[in-house]
């Protein structure tokens, strides 16, 4: 991916905020607990988007501040979670004071950050002994049709990002994988495809062609209750020294 395409894709979510909110999966509660710990904490959900991870954090009893650079994504979050403090900002320049949060979570977004700037910023807002937790729902290729679906994106979508590396003052990254799944009808599956950053930036004819192929796949494999899309939820956590 070129640098231009990277920036275009990182900024593409605002254009698909509505379909993102309707079709992207949430996160398994046990995975969220593994990232944050059991006790209620002050949590920054960074790259919060429409609040898919934020709502699990709120449900677990945490006091959450959500940050994202995309106003259209935050507008969806404010509808779903009107009581949450939602602020415009980036991982590289956080709109929070020093040492004010216990945990920073990042759902499906760390790969859009510049770690050389984001990690020192995250360390700045975390209290000593606080945690950084990263989480991704990624494709489970062990199911044939799932592999076929994600293969439609070629090398532009899909594989797990490289394992994140912790730098001082963060300690070693611990890693754990959880299972997750999402039931989808035809519109849901097509919306999920349309919400991918690679698809969001395609010209209309190419996007329609790709959505057409995804629709044919759905029609071939769906049962009366739609399809169940399996995920492997990859989690990483590290303690700030
Ligand atoms: C795939 S969405 C994930 C949203 C949400 N966390 C979730 O789990 O559904 C990626 C989000 O990262 C945000 N993002 C992109 N670049 C960012 C940056 N440099 N700092 C913070 N957030 C960023 C995008 O605006 C988008 O909302």
């Amino acid at each position: 991916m070129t640098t231009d395409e990277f920036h275009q894709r990182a900024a593409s979510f605002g254009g698909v905020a509505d379909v993102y909110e309707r079709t992207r999966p949430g996160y398994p509660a046990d995975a969220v607990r593994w990232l944050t710990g059991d006790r209620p904490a002050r949590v920054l959900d960074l790259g919060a988007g429409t609040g898919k991870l934020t709502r699990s954090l709120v449900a677990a009893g945490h006091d959450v501040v959500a940050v994202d650079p995309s106003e259209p994504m935050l507008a969806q979050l404010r509808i779903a979670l009107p009581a949450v403090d939602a602020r415009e900002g980036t991982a590289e320049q956080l709109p929070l004071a020093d040492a004010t949060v216990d945990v920073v979570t990042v759902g499906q977004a760390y790969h859009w950050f510049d770690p050389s700037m984001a990690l020192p910023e995250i360390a700045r807002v975390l209290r000593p002994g606080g945690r950084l937790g990263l989480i991704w729902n990624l494709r489970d290729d062990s199911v044939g049709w799932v592999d076929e679906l994600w293969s439609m994106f070629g090398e532009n979508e899909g594989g797990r990002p490289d394992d994140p590396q912790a730098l001082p003052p963060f300690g070693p990254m611990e890693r754990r994988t959880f299972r997750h799944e999402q039931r989808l009808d035809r519109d849901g599956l097509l919306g999920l495809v349309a919400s991918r950053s690679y698809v969001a930036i395609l010209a209309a004819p190419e996007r329609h062609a790709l959505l057409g192929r995804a629709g044919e796949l759905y029609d071939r494999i769906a049962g009366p209750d739609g399809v169940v899309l399996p995920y492997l939820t990859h989690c990483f956590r590290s303690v700030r020294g």
Side-chain angles (χ1 to χ4, degrees), residues 12-198:
S12 70
F13 294 100
V16 290
D18 174 53
V19 71
Y20 190 107
E21 170 59 14
R22 280 190 283 110
T23 61
R24 286 290 189 108
Y27 296 94
D30 50 353
V32 175
R33 203 174 316 116
W34 187 80
L35 293 181
T36 60
D38 287 330
R39 272 185 282 152
R42 171 82 172 149
V43 180
L44 162 61
D45 188 23
L46 180 53
T50 67
K52 294 277 170 187
L53 177 57
T54 323
R55 63 203 75 177
S56 298
L57 297 165
V58 170
H62 300 299
D63 172 24
V64 186
V65 53
V67 170
D68 198 280
S70 166
E71 260 307 325
M73 294 292 267
L74 286 177
Q76 295 286 335
L77 186 148
R78 290 190 184 105
I79 293 168
L81 298 165
V84 166
D85 176 4
R87 304 182 191 176
E88 200 176 331
T90 66
E92 294 78 12
Q93 198 170 4
L94 289 170
L96 276 87
D98 296 0
T100 46
V101 297
D102 304 304
V103 180
V104 175
T105 56
V106 184
Q108 217 81 14
Y110 187 75
H111 52 290
W112 297 122
F113 303 170
D114 174 349
S116 69
M117 292 173 74
L119 279 177
E121 264 300 84
I122 292 169
R124 179 182 68 75
V125 303
L126 270 175
R127 298 190 178 110
R131 294 182 189 205
L132 170 62
L134 314 176
I135 185 166
W136 283 270
N137 283 319
L138 296 175
R139 66 191 194 184
D140 178 357
D141 289 344
S142 60
V143 179
W145 73 268
V146 176
D147 189 33
E148 196 181 331
L149 176 71
W150 297 126
S151 297
M152 287 180 193
F153 301 101
E155 48 183 50
N156 288 296
E157 182 67 36
R160 192 163 59 74
D162 291 342
D163 280 4
Q165 302 298 317
L167 299 169
F170 289 97
M173 280 281 178
E174 268 184 275
R175 165 174 187 188
R176 191 152 154 198
T177 303
F178 297 79
R179 290 200 171 274
H180 193 35
E181 58 182 38
Q182 180 186 26
R183 182 170 291 284
L184 292 162
D185 61 13
R186 197 176 196 280
D187 281 354
L189 187 78
L190 296 191
L192 185 75
V193 170
S195 78
R196 316 303 299 192
S197 62
Y198 164 67

Side-chain angles (χ1 to χ4, degrees), residues 195-217:
S195 78
R196 316 303 299 192
S197 62
Y198 164 67
V199 180
I201 65 165
L202 286 177
E206 289 156 35
R207 191 167 58 247
H208 286 141
L210 199 150
L211 290 171
R213 292 209 301 284
E216 283 164 21
L217 173 62

